[in-house]
Amino acid sequence: MQVGLIGLGKMGFNLALNMKDHGHRVIGYNRSPGAVKKAEAEGIAGVYSLDKLVEKLAPRRVLWLMVPAGKPVDDTIEKLIPLLDEHDIIIDGGNSNYKDTLARYRKLREKGIDFVDVGTSGGTEGARYGACTMIGAEDSVFSYLEPLFRDICVEGGYLHTGPSGSGHFVKMVHNGVEYGMMQAIGEGFEILEKSLFDLNYREIARVWNHGSVIRSWLMELTEKAFAGDPKLEKIKGVIHSSGEGLWTVQEALELQVPVPVIAQALFMRYRSEQEDTFSGKVVAALRNRFGGHAVEEKQPD
Amino acid sequence: MQVGLIGLGKMGFNLALNMKDHGHRVIGYNRSPGAVKKAEAEGIAGVYSLDKLVEKLAPRRVLWLMVPAGKPVDDTIEKLIPLLDEHDIIIDGGNSNYKDTLARYRKLREKGIDFVDVGTSGGTEGARYGACTMIGAEDSVFSYLEPLFRDICVEGGYLHTGPSGSGHFVKMVHNGVEYGMMQAIGEGFEILEKSLFDLNYREIARVWNHGSVIRSWLMELTEKAFAGDPKLEKIKGVIHSSGEGLWTVQEALELQVPVPVIAQALFMRYRSEQEDTFSGKVVAALRNRFGGHAVEEKQPD
Amino acid sequence: MQVGLIGLGKMGFNLALNMKDHGHRVIGYNRSPGAVKKAEAEGIAGVYSLDKLVEKLAPRRVLWLMVPAGKPVDDTIEKLIPLLDEHDIIIDGGNSNYKDTLARYRKLREKGIDFVDVGTSGGTEGARYGACTMIGAEDSVFSYLEPLFRDICVEGGYLHTGPSGSGHFVKMVHNGVEYGMMQAIGEGFEILEKSLFDLNYREIARVWNHGSVIRSWLMELTEKAFAGDPKLEKIKGVIHSSGEGLWTVQEALELQVPVPVIAQALFMRYRSEQEDTFSGKVVAALRNRFGGHAVEEKQPD
Amino acid sequence: MQVGLIGLGKMGFNLALNMKDHGHRVIGYNRSPGAVKKAEAEGIAGVYSLDKLVEKLAPRRVLWLMVPAGKPVDDTIEKLIPLLDEHDIIIDGGNSNYKDTLARYRKLREKGIDFVDVGTSGGTEGARYGACTMIGAEDSVFSYLEPLFRDICVEGGYLHTGPSGSGHFVKMVHNGVEYGMMQAIGEGFEILEKSLFDLNYREIARVWNHGSVIRSWLMELTEKAFAGDPKLEKIKGVIHSSGEGLWTVQEALELQVPVPVIAQALFMRYRSEQEDTFSGKVVAALRNRFGGHAVEEKQPD
C-alpha cells in the first residue's frame, strides 16, 4: 500500500520504517525538514510540502497523520482538505481526544473524505517492530486498510473497535489503565525501598516477570530501568503527563464512573510536578493555629 | 476538687490555669523543672517530684496526666502505682492510642486504681478557656469527676462516651475527621489560588464563616491564618502528623471500613514531607522506557 | 429595593420572604402558577408572566433568577432580553457553572444589560433567615445592589468576590470543600458504628460541637439528623449530587491541582448510586481466574 | 529431593504434582484425609499423620507447609518441633504475614530448626506448571533448596530475596501491586461499559495483550473472563480479599509511604462487600438537612 506519513517524530519515524519493512511505499513529510532528511537517510522517500505529498500519492490516497494532538491535527486536516479527492483517507494515528475525532469525522464526511482514528500503543519500540492499534472506522474503510494494519502490528495486535472515535476512545482508556498500573508499581517499589530489608529491585522486577500474577510488559520495563540505574539515583520522581490520563478521568466524571485509582494516579503526577503546595500551606497553618504545632518557615531566597 | 496535673506543656499548662480559674486546687508537676517554675509564676502550686505530688494530694487522689502518648504515659503510670491508694484516679488526658488505654485500664484495675481516658479537643485555646472532652470511664468514676469536667469544658462540651477506652477512641476518630476536613479546605483554597480570578482568601474564609454550609471553627482559623499572611508566603506546605490520623486509618482497615477521604488526607501529609519520591522515579523511568519521554535528571549536589 | 424574583422553589420562595421581611418590594414569578399562588398566600406580590413582571418593575429593574442551572437560566435570560432596558440588572442567584456565567455576562454586556452572579449558601434556612452570598459583579453594579445583599444575608455574610463569574466560581469551590467535609464526617461515624463500643452518635455529634476542633454547622446538622433517627435506620446511604462537586473536580483537573479528598468524596457519591459495579465484576472475575477464588453468582431475577 | 508437603488444598496439591513431575519424592499430608486420598489417586505418596510424615522423611528433612496463614501455620509448627532434628527445614509457602514469619524464624532458630519463607505467586496454574517464588532464607539453607525451586518454578521464576521474612514481605508487596493493577483494569472496563460506544470487551482485552503497553497476564485473564461471560452478567461485583493487600497498606502506613492507589483498590473491595453504608447515610441525611434534598427511604423488609 502507498502511504503518506505526515509527522516524522519518534513515533512517526518508527512507523514509517515499520511500513517500509513490510513492503509498503511510504512517502514521509514533516513540517521541519530535518526530520525528512533523517528519514531519507533511512531509505524513506521524503517530500517537503503537503502539496508535493498529495501529488505523489495515487488515489485512493492514504494519509497517516502522526502529529501532536490538538491544533496540529486540525491545521494539517485543513490544509489537506482542498488537496484531496473523494474517498481519499486521512488516518489520525496520534493521541487525539475522541471528541475532537468525532467532530473531525463529521466535518470530513461532509467533504466526502474518509477519516479513521487509530489509537497506537506499544511505545516507540512497538511503532518500529509491531504496534498495537485500536481502530475507529467505517467498515468498508477499515477493510480497505486492514492489510496495512496487519503488517505493522504484532500478530493479533489490531482491532476494529467500532465506528469513528472508538479507536481513540479505547486508546484513551488504555492509557488511563496504564496510569493506574504504573502508579501501583511505583507504590510497591517505594514500600520495598523504605522497608527494613536491603532488596535488589532489579532482581525483584525480574522474578515478578517470571510466573507471577503481575507479570507484564511494564514490569519488564521496570527491570530494565533498574538494570540501568539500580536505585534510580540519577533521575527525579517528576512525572509529566500528556493528556490521555486526564481525559480518562474527565470522561469517567461525565459518565459518573468512580475511578479512584486512575484519578489518584493522575493526582500523584500533578503533585510530583509541585515543589510546594498551597493546600499543604493551608493545612500546616491550621495545625499551627489550633495546636501550636510548629510550621516550617520559608527561607529567604 | 484537688487535682495533681502531671505534664505542664502547652496543653497541660493551659488546663491547669483553666482548673484554677474554676476554683480547683491544682498542683502541677513536670519532669523538667522549668515548666513547674513557669506554672508557679502563674499562681499554680508546683512540686518537683511525683512522690511530693502524691504526698500533697488527699485521697481519693485525682492525677491528670498530660504527657506525650506512648512510653511517657506508661513510665508515669509505673511510677505512680506504688504511691497510690485504692480508688485513687489516674486520668490520661493525652492523645493515647485507645488500645494502649484498654491495656492500662486492665492493669490498673488489678491494682485497684481507677483509670479514666479523656480525649481533649479544642487546641491550646480550648484547654485554657473551655475544652471539649470525650471521657471513657466506669460510671461511678465518671460521676465523681463530672464537676471537674463541667467546669473546664465549654458548656455542653463533655461527654461520658462509655467504658474505658471509648474516650480516646472517639477522640481518635474526631481527629480523623479533622484530617479530612482540613485537607478539603486546603484543596479548595489551592483551586482558588490557581484560578484565573484574583481572589482575597481571607475575605473568602470570612464570608464562608457567615451563614455558609461550611462555616466552622476550622474556617475561622483559616481566616486568621490568612489575616496574618495573606498568601501564606512565609510558610512551607509541610504537614506533620502526631498519630491519631494514622490510628484512625489503621482502625478503619481493621474494621474494613472504606475511608478514602481520611486516608488520602493522611497520605497527602506524608507526601508533603517528601522532597522526592521513589514511586515517582519508578513511574518517570517507565514513561521514559516505553515512550521516550524525557526524565528530569538529578543535578549533582 | 424593588426586586423581581423569578423562580419560587425552595430557595427562591425563602429568599422572597427574606427580602420582604427586610422591607424590599418583591414581585414573584414562577413558570408553574402554583408556586406563585403559594407565595401570594404569604403576602408576596405575584405575577403570571415575565412580561407582566418586567412591566411592574420600575427601571433600573432588578431581576433575581432562582431557577435550575443550565437551560432554564438561558431560556429565562433569552426571554428577558427584549423586555429590558439598558442597565437593568439580571442576577443569577442559582448554582450555575461559572463558565456559563462568563458567557452570559459577555452576551448581556453587548446588550447593555448588567449581569451579576451570586453564589448562595446556607441552605433553605439561610435563604429564609440570613444567607451567605458570594457575588461576582462590576464594582458599580455591586455598589448599587449592596443594600439588598446586606439585608438578606447574615451579618458579614456577603462578599464581592470580584468580576463576573467569580461569585459562582467561589461558590463552586465552597461546595467542593463541603463534599470533602461531609464525606470525612460520614467516614468518621462509620468507624464509630463498626467499632466495639456501643456509642451514642447524637451525643457524640453534640459534644463535638461544643469546643472541639471540628465544631461546625455540618456537625450541628449531624446532631439533628441523629436526633431524628438515632442510627439512621430509616434512610438509605444513597448520595445524589447536583453538579458543583463535579465541576470543582473538573476545574481542579484543568488547573492540575491534586484534589484527592474532594474527588474521592465525589466518587463515593457515584458509588453509592450503584447497586453493583462493572469494575467489581472484572476484579472478581480475575481473582477467580488466577486464584480459584469463588465468585458470587447473580441470582436469576 | 524428598519433600513432606503439608496442606493439600488447591495450591498445595498442584505444587505436589509439580514437584513429582520433576522427579522429587513428595509425601503429602493433609489434616482432613479426603485431600490425601485425592493426592494418592494422582500418584502422590500420602500419610495420615504428621508423625508418620516425619518418620518417612530422611534427615535433613524438608517440610513444605501450604496451609492457611495464621493459626494453622503456628499449630503445624508447634506439632513439628518435637518431631524434628537439628537443621531439618520447615518452609512456609503460604501467604503469611512477614512479621509472623520473623517471629517464627527466631523461635525455630533457637530450636536449631531452619525456617524458610516462600512467597508463591502465579495462582493455581503456576503452582502446577511453574510458579514464581520469592524466598527468604539464610544463604546456606537457600543453596540447599535451590534445586527444588529451580524445578518447580518457571525459568527465572525464583529469587532469594534476602534473609528470613523477606520472601513473604516481597510477596505481600507483590499482592499490593496486584490489587492496584486489577482495580485499574476494572475501572477502565467500567468506563468502556458506560460509554456511548458498543464495544466488545473480550476483543479489547485481546488486542491490549498484543503489543500494547499494558499487556500482562492479568489482561490475558481478563480476556478469558470475557470469553466465558462477554458482559460478566453471571457474577456479582463483590470482591473479597485475603489479607495481603491489607497488610501492604498497613505496612505503608507504618513506613509513612503514600499509597493512594493500593489503598483505594483495597477500599473499593471493602465497599463492594457492603450493601449500604453508614457513611452514605450520614451524608444523605446532611444533604437533606441543609438543602431539603430528598433522601431515599428504606423500605420495610
Side-chain angles (χ1 to χ4, degrees):
Chain A
M1 191 168 280
Q2 202 186 24
V3 182
L5 190 47
I6 300 169
L8 298 167
K10 281 176 297 191
M11 293 295 288
F13 177 67
N14 279 331
L15 271 180
L17 293 176
N18 184 348
M19 290 174 186
K20 178 171 155 285
D21 283 356
H22 288 87
H24 300 282
R25 285 154 294 144
V26 185
I27 307 172
Y29 165 76
N30 197 72
R31 216 174 42 156
S32 57
V36 182
K37 291 209 157 57
K38 193 180 151 211
E40 287 176 328
E42 297 287 332
I44 308 278
V47 291
Y48 292 83
S49 74
L50 283 178
D51 302 68
K52 208 71 185 173
L53 179 65
V54 173
E55 192 186 306
K56 285 215 169 183
L57 295 166
R60 184 181 192 180
R61 297 180 187 89
V62 174
L63 291 130
W64 185 302
L65 272 58
M66 216 64 194
V67 301
K71 198 166 174 305
V73 175
D74 280 322
D75 288 352
T76 310
I77 288 174
E78 282 308 306
K79 285 179 196 150
L80 286 173
I81 286 174
L83 306 174
L84 298 186
D85 293 317
E86 209 168 338
H87 285 301
D88 282 350
I89 301 170
I90 298 177
I91 299 169
D92 178 4
N95 279 332
S96 294
N97 188 308
Y98 85 97
K99 290 180 180 175
D100 293 338
T101 299
L102 289 173
R104 287 164 189 152
Y105 169 76
R106 281 189 294 264
K107 179 175 189 175
L108 287 164
R109 193 178 46 185
E110 280 174 23
K111 314 277 183 188
I113 298 169
D114 291 318
F115 187 57
V116 172
D117 51 296
V118 175
T120 311
S121 184
T124 48
E125 190 186 309
R128 180 65 188 89
Y129 299 108
C132 171
T133 57
M134 295 140 255
I135 305 148
E138 289 174 24
D139 289 353
S140 64
V141 183
F142 171 73
S143 299
Y144 182 77
L145 295 170
E146 190 167 5
L148 178 63
F149 293 122
R150 190 180 295 122
D151 286 346
I152 63 169
C153 294
V154 294
E155 197 176 334
Y158 68 96
L159 178 68
H160 181 204
T161 48
S164 181
S166 66
H168 281 152
F169 182 82
V170 172
K171 173 56 164 48
M172 174 192 80
V173 174
H174 166 281
N175 281 31
V177 173
E178 182 189 299
Y179 274 49
M181 283 186 165
M182 288 168 79
Q183 175 68 19
I185 293 170
E187 291 177 8
F189 277 95
E190 185 163 326
I191 297 171
L192 296 180
E193 193 247 357
K194 294 281 183 306
S195 82
L196 58 94
F197 298 104
D198 180 25
L199 300 164
N200 183 321
Y201 312 133
R202 178 193 180 174
E203 284 297 294
I204 288 171
R206 189 192 55 68
V207 79
W208 283 354
N209 265 319
H210 290 84
S212 101
V213 172
I214 60 175
R215 61 189 186 256
S216 54
W217 193 53
L218 284 168
M219 196 57 72
E220 289 178 39
L221 297 179
T222 306
E223 185 191 343
K224 283 181 190 162
F226 283 121
D229 186 358
K231 306 203 164 191
L232 301 182
E233 287 166 331
K234 294 178 197 156
I235 62 168
K236 283 192 191 165
V238 177
I239 319 162
H240 302 298
S241 47
S242 52
E244 300 212 316
L246 168 63
W247 299 338
T248 305
V249 177
Q250 287 175 325
E251 187 69 20
L253 287 170
E254 283 181 31
L255 298 171
Q256 308 212 344
V257 173
V259 289
V261 156
I262 298 177
Q264 292 305 325
L266 181 64
F267 289 143
M268 293 312 272
R269 291 190 173 202
Y270 290 162
R271 180 61 186 82
S272 80
E273 296 177 312
Q274 297 180 300
E275 280 205 22
D276 199 354
T277 68
F278 201 70
S279 63
K281 286 167 177 250
V282 170
V283 177
L286 286 175
R287 291 187 79 239
N288 174 255
R289 286 276 154 188
F290 69 70
H293 303 289
V295 291
E296 297 194 14
E297 286 179 28
K298 258 211 135 101
Q299 301 308 317
D301 293 328
Chain B
M1 190 169 282
Q2 203 186 23
V3 182
L5 190 47
I6 300 170
L8 298 167
K10 279 177 298 191
M11 291 295 286
F13 177 68
N14 280 330
L15 270 180
L17 293 176
N18 184 349
M19 290 175 187
K20 179 171 154 287
D21 283 355
H22 288 88
H24 299 282
R25 283 155 295 146
V26 185
I27 307 173
Y29 165 76
N30 196 74
R31 218 176 41 159
S32 58
V36 182
K37 289 210 162 56
K38 192 180 152 210
E40 287 176 329
E42 297 287 332
I44 308 278
V47 292
Y48 292 84
S49 74
L50 283 177
D51 302 69
K52 209 67 183 175
L53 179 64
V54 172
E55 195 187 303
K56 286 218 170 181
L57 294 166
R60 186 181 195 178
R61 297 180 187 89
V62 174
L63 292 130
W64 186 303
L65 272 59
M66 216 65 197
V67 302
K71 199 167 173 306
V73 174
D74 280 322
D75 288 352
T76 310
I77 288 174
E78 282 309 307
K79 285 178 196 151
L80 286 174
I81 287 174
L83 306 174
L84 298 185
D85 294 317
E86 209 169 336
H87 284 303
D88 282 350
I89 302 170
I90 297 177
I91 299 169
D92 179 3
N95 279 332
S96 294
N97 188 308
Y98 84 98
K99 290 179 179 175
D100 293 337
T101 298
L102 289 173
R104 288 164 189 151
Y105 169 76
R106 282 188 294 263
K107 181 176 187 173
L108 288 165
R109 193 177 44 184
E110 281 174 23
K111 313 278 184 189
I113 297 169
D114 291 318
F115 187 57
V116 173
D117 50 296
V118 175
T120 312
S121 184
T124 48
E125 190 186 311
R128 181 66 188 87
Y129 299 108
C132 170
T133 57
M134 294 139 254
I135 304 149
E138 290 175 21
D139 289 353
S140 64
V141 183
F142 171 73
S143 299
Y144 182 78
L145 296 170
E146 190 167 5
L148 178 64
F149 293 123
R150 190 180 296 123
D151 285 346
I152 63 169
C153 295
V154 296
E155 195 175 336
Y158 69 96
L159 179 68
H160 182 205
T161 47
S164 182
S166 64
H168 282 152
F169 182 82
V170 172
K171 173 54 166 45
M172 175 193 82
V173 174
H174 164 281
N175 281 30
V177 173
E178 181 189 298
Y179 275 49
M181 283 187 167
M182 287 167 78
Q183 176 68 19
I185 293 170
E187 292 177 7
F189 278 95
E190 185 164 324
I191 297 170
L192 296 180
E193 194 247 355
K194 294 280 183 306
S195 81
L196 60 94
F197 297 104
D198 180 24
L199 300 164
N200 183 321
Y201 312 133
R202 178 194 179 172
E203 284 297 295
I204 288 171
R206 190 190 55 69
V207 79
W208 283 355
N209 265 319
H210 290 84
S212 100
V213 171
I214 60 175
R215 62 190 187 255
S216 54
W217 192 52
L218 284 168
M219 196 56 72
E220 289 177 39
L221 296 178
T222 307
E223 184 191 344
K224 284 181 190 164
F226 284 122
D229 186 359
K231 306 204 164 187
L232 301 181
E233 286 166 332
K234 294 178 196 157
I235 62 169
K236 282 192 192 167
V238 177
I239 318 164
H240 303 298
S241 47
S242 51
E244 301 212 314
L246 168 63
W247 298 338
T248 304
V249 177
Q250 288 176 324
E251 187 69 22
L253 287 170
E254 284 182 30
L255 298 171
Q256 308 211 346
V257 173
V259 289
V261 157
I262 298 177
Q264 292 307 323
L266 181 65
F267 289 144
M268 293 312 272
R269 290 189 174 204
Y270 290 162
R271 180 61 186 81
S272 80
E273 296 178 311
Q274 298 180 301
E275 279 203 23
D276 200 354
T277 69
F278 200 71
S279 62
K281 286 167 176 249
V282 171
V283 177
L286 286 174
R287 292 187 78 235
N288 174 255
R289 286 276 153 186
F290 70 71
H293 303 289
V295 290
E296 297 192 14
E297 287 179 27
K298 255 208 136 102
Q299 300 309 316
D301 293 327
Chain C
M1 191 169 279
Q2 202 187 23
V3 182
L5 189 48
I6 299 170
L8 298 167
K10 280 177 298 192
M11 291 296 286
F13 177 67
N14 279 330
L15 270 181
L17 293 176
N18 184 347
M19 290 174 185
K20 179 170 153 287
D21 283 357
H22 288 88
H24 299 282
R25 282 154 295 144
V26 184
I27 306 172
Y29 165 76
N30 196 74
R31 215 176 44 158
S32 58
V36 182
K37 289 210 159 57
K38 194 181 150 210
E40 287 176 327
E42 297 287 332
I44 308 278
V47 292
Y48 292 83
S49 74
L50 283 177
D51 302 69
K52 209 69 185 172
L53 179 64
V54 173
E55 193 187 304
K56 286 216 169 184
L57 296 166
R60 186 180 192 182
R61 297 180 188 89
V62 174
L63 291 132
W64 185 303
L65 272 59
M66 215 66 195
V67 302
K71 199 169 173 304
V73 175
D74 280 322
D75 288 352
T76 309
I77 288 173
E78 282 309 307
K79 284 179 197 150
L80 286 174
I81 286 174
L83 306 174
L84 297 186
D85 294 316
E86 209 168 339
H87 283 302
D88 283 349
I89 301 170
I90 297 177
I91 299 169
D92 179 3
N95 279 332
S96 295
N97 188 308
Y98 85 97
K99 290 180 181 175
D100 293 338
T101 299
L102 288 173
R104 287 165 190 151
Y105 169 75
R106 282 188 292 265
K107 181 175 186 173
L108 287 164
R109 195 178 44 184
E110 281 174 22
K111 313 278 181 186
I113 298 169
D114 290 319
F115 187 57
V116 173
D117 50 298
V118 175
T120 312
S121 184
T124 48
E125 191 186 309
R128 181 65 188 87
Y129 299 107
C132 171
T133 57
M134 294 139 255
I135 304 148
E138 291 174 20
D139 289 353
S140 64
V141 183
F142 171 73
S143 300
Y144 182 78
L145 295 170
E146 190 167 6
L148 178 63
F149 293 122
R150 190 180 295 124
D151 285 345
I152 63 169
C153 295
V154 295
E155 197 176 335
Y158 69 95
L159 179 68
H160 182 205
T161 47
S164 183
S166 65
H168 281 152
F169 182 83
V170 172
K171 173 57 165 48
M172 175 193 81
V173 174
H174 165 281
N175 281 30
V177 173
E178 180 189 299
Y179 275 48
M181 283 186 166
M182 288 169 79
Q183 176 67 19
I185 293 170
E187 292 177 8
F189 277 96
E190 186 164 324
I191 297 171
L192 296 180
E193 194 247 355
K194 295 280 183 304
S195 82
L196 57 94
F197 298 103
D198 180 25
L199 300 165
N200 183 322
Y201 312 133
R202 178 193 177 173
E203 285 296 296
I204 288 171
R206 189 190 55 68
V207 79
W208 283 354
N209 265 319
H210 291 83
S212 101
V213 171
I214 60 175
R215 61 189 186 257
S216 53
W217 193 53
L218 284 167
M219 196 55 73
E220 289 177 39
L221 297 178
T222 306
E223 185 191 345
K224 284 181 190 162
F226 283 122
D229 186 357
K231 306 202 165 192
L232 301 182
E233 286 166 334
K234 294 179 196 156
I235 62 168
K236 283 192 191 166
V238 178
I239 318 163
H240 302 299
S241 46
S242 51
E244 300 211 315
L246 168 63
W247 298 338
T248 304
V249 177
Q250 288 176 324
E251 187 70 21
L253 288 169
E254 283 181 31
L255 298 172
Q256 307 212 346
V257 173
V259 287
V261 156
I262 298 176
Q264 291 306 324
L266 181 65
F267 288 145
M268 292 313 271
R269 290 190 172 202
Y270 290 161
R271 179 62 187 80
S272 79
E273 296 178 311
Q274 296 180 301
E275 280 205 22
D276 200 354
T277 68
F278 200 70
S279 63
K281 286 167 178 252
V282 171
V283 177
L286 286 175
R287 290 188 80 238
N288 175 256
R289 287 276 154 189
F290 69 71
H293 303 289
V295 290
E296 297 193 14
E297 286 178 27
K298 255 211 135 100
Q299 300 309 316
D301 293 328
Chain D
M1 191 168 281
Q2 202 186 23
V3 181
L5 190 48
I6 299 169
L8 297 167
K10 281 176 298 191
M11 292 295 287
F13 177 68
N14 280 331
L15 270 181
L17 293 175
N18 183 349
M19 290 174 187
K20 180 171 153 284
D21 284 356
H22 288 87
H24 299 283
R25 284 155 295 145
V26 184
I27 307 174
Y29 165 75
N30 196 74
R31 216 176 44 158
S32 57
V36 183
K37 291 209 160 56
K38 194 181 151 209
E40 287 176 327
E42 297 286 334
I44 308 279
V47 292
Y48 292 84
S49 73
L50 284 178
D51 302 68
K52 210 65 182 177
L53 179 64
V54 173
E55 195 188 304
K56 286 217 167 181
L57 295 166
R60 185 181 194 180
R61 298 180 188 90
V62 174
L63 291 130
W64 185 302
L65 272 58
M66 216 66 195
V67 302
K71 200 168 171 305
V73 174
D74 280 322
D75 289 352
T76 309
I77 288 174
E78 283 307 307
K79 286 177 195 150
L80 287 173
I81 287 174
L83 307 173
L84 298 185
D85 294 317
E86 212 170 334
H87 284 303
D88 283 351
I89 301 169
I90 298 177
I91 299 169
D92 178 4
N95 279 332
S96 294
N97 188 308
Y98 84 99
K99 290 179 180 176
D100 292 337
T101 298
L102 289 173
R104 287 165 190 150
Y105 168 76
R106 281 188 293 263
K107 181 175 187 172
L108 287 163
R109 192 178 45 184
E110 281 174 23
K111 313 278 183 186
I113 298 169
D114 291 320
F115 187 56
V116 173
D117 50 295
V118 176
T120 312
S121 184
T124 49
E125 192 185 309
R128 181 66 189 87
Y129 299 108
C132 171
T133 57
M134 294 139 255
I135 304 148
E138 291 174 21
D139 289 354
S140 64
V141 184
F142 171 73
S143 299
Y144 181 78
L145 295 169
E146 189 168 5
L148 179 63
F149 293 123
R150 190 181 295 121
D151 285 347
I152 63 170
C153 295
V154 295
E155 196 175 337
Y158 70 96
L159 178 68
H160 182 204
T161 47
S164 182
S166 66
H168 282 152
F169 182 82
V170 172
K171 173 56 167 43
M172 176 193 80
V173 174
H174 166 281
N175 280 31
V177 173
E178 182 189 299
Y179 275 49
M181 283 186 166
M182 288 167 78
Q183 176 68 20
I185 293 170
E187 291 177 7
F189 277 96
E190 185 163 324
I191 297 171
L192 295 180
E193 194 247 356
K194 295 281 183 304
S195 81
L196 59 93
F197 298 104
D198 180 25
L199 300 165
N200 184 322
Y201 312 132
R202 178 193 178 173
E203 286 296 295
I204 287 170
R206 190 191 54 68
V207 80
W208 283 354
N209 266 318
H210 291 84
S212 100
V213 171
I214 60 175
R215 63 189 186 256
S216 54
W217 193 52
L218 284 168
M219 196 56 73
E220 288 177 40
L221 296 178
T222 306
E223 184 191 344
K224 283 181 189 161
F226 283 122
D229 187 358
K231 305 203 164 187
L232 300 182
E233 286 166 333
K234 294 177 196 159
I235 62 168
K236 282 192 192 166
V238 178
I239 318 163
H240 302 299
S241 48
S242 52
E244 300 212 315
L246 168 63
W247 298 338
T248 305
V249 177
Q250 288 176 324
E251 187 69 22
L253 287 170
E254 283 181 30
L255 298 171
Q256 308 212 345
V257 173
V259 289
V261 156
I262 298 177
Q264 292 306 324
L266 181 65
F267 288 144
M268 293 313 271
R269 291 189 173 203
Y270 290 161
R271 180 61 187 82
S272 80
E273 296 178 312
Q274 297 180 301
E275 280 204 22
D276 200 354
T277 68
F278 200 71
S279 63
K281 286 168 178 247
V282 172
V283 177
L286 286 175
R287 291 188 79 237
N288 174 256
R289 286 275 154 188
F290 70 69
H293 303 290
V295 291
E296 297 193 14
E297 288 179 25
K298 255 211 137 96
Q299 299 309 314
D301 293 327

